[in-house]
Amino acid sequence: LTSSVMPLPDPAFEHRMYLPLAALVAVVVMGVYGGLEWIGRRIGARRAMLAVGWVILALVTAALVLLTRARNRDYTSEEMMWKSVHRARPENYRAYIHLASGLFNAGKYDEVEQYCRQLLHRLPDCGKMPDSEIQRLWNSRYDCSRQLRYYALAENILGNVCLARGNPAQALQCYGESIRVMPESTAYH
């Protein structure tokens, strides 16, 4: 089952709209066909109206094919997809993390660091918070705990970059910050 009536925190599930849209498209196509046939009977030019309908169908199909090709280009690589998401929704924390991860896998460490630093700039500065404040935020609203998760993820990715660049001391600082913010995460330990 891929449908839900519950609102999703992130619209990263666009595939969930394919099946419901099929019914809507069928209704629109039948409506246009019926409308053109009705107009054709009213003015006595049924064949001409059906020809106009085929032209409209061809133009709409061509436009949809071009839009689909453009969207499919976004899916050619992990980097392209997440850059597309980041351009469309620059406030989306998940886009920063996945883009940074994809760039890390491609060995583009400067870009990884840039996106992680941008994300950290958007999030509360946990580095200046005492542990008690971090614990309080974990126990408060969902948004606060989500921000803490992304802060820890960004620090962890920066640690991976430091390690890949041959700077283990700096990597340990980043990893330590990840663990301080998310002490229950076994992955960070």
Side-chain angles (χ1 to χ4, degrees):
L1 194 66
T2 62
S3 294
S4 173
V5 294
M6 299 300 294
L8 299 171
D10 195 329
F13 303 99
E14 62 188 41
H15 65 277
R16 292 179 179 218
M17 290 306 299
Y18 294 162
L19 189 57
L21 281 176
L24 180 62
V25 168
V27 168
V28 168
V29 168
M30 289 187 308
V32 168
Y33 179 82
L36 288 173
E37 193 170 88
W38 180 80
I39 291 171
R41 280 194 309 257
R42 297 271 299 173
I43 63 172
R46 186 169 184 252
R47 278 191 146 170
M49 291 310 290
L50 286 178
V52 168
W54 282 108
V55 170
I56 291 171
L57 176 65
L59 291 173
V60 168
T61 301
L64 292 174
V65 165
L66 292 174
L67 289 170
T68 299
R69 283 182 50 135
R71 182 66 177 147
N72 284 344
R73 270 188 237 116
D74 291 340
Y75 287 93
T76 57
S77 72
E78 184 178 8
E79 180 182 341
M80 292 281 290
M81 183 179 75
W82 288 108
K83 279 187 176 179
S84 169
V85 172
H86 184 264
R87 275 191 308 275
R89 298 203 47 213
E91 75 285 352
N92 185 321
Y93 302 148
R94 183 185 290 177
Y96 283 94
I97 292 298
H98 285 287
L99 179 53
S101 295
L103 291 167
F104 181 84
N105 293 337
K108 298 179 179 180
Y109 303 135
D110 291 337
E111 287 184 70
V112 173
E113 186 172 358
Q114 171 192 343
Y115 283 108
C116 285
R117 298 268 180 232
Q118 286 177 12
L119 176 58
L120 289 171
H121 183 71
R122 291 177 161 272
L123 295 169
D125 188 0
C126 295
K128 295 180 181 175
M129 288 183 197
D131 292 349
S132 59
E133 177 65 12
I134 290 173
Q135 187 59 44
R136 187 190 68 73
L137 289 173
W138 273 114
N139 296 327
S140 65
R141 299 185 339 253
Y142 169 75
D143 286 346
C144 291
S145 61
R146 190 171 65 101
Q147 289 176 343
L148 291 174
R149 256 187 221 95
Y150 285 114
Y151 179 90
L153 278 165
E155 284 288 345
N156 193 56
I157 293 169
L158 283 173
N160 293 340
V161 168
C162 293
L163 197 58
R165 288 178 170 164
N167 190 347
Q170 184 67 35
L172 281 175
Q173 285 181 333
C174 293
Y175 293 146
E177 183 64 6
S178 290
I179 291 168
R180 189 177 79 82
V181 172
M182 276 186 77
E184 76 285 351
S185 174
T186 56
Y188 296 158
H189 285 278

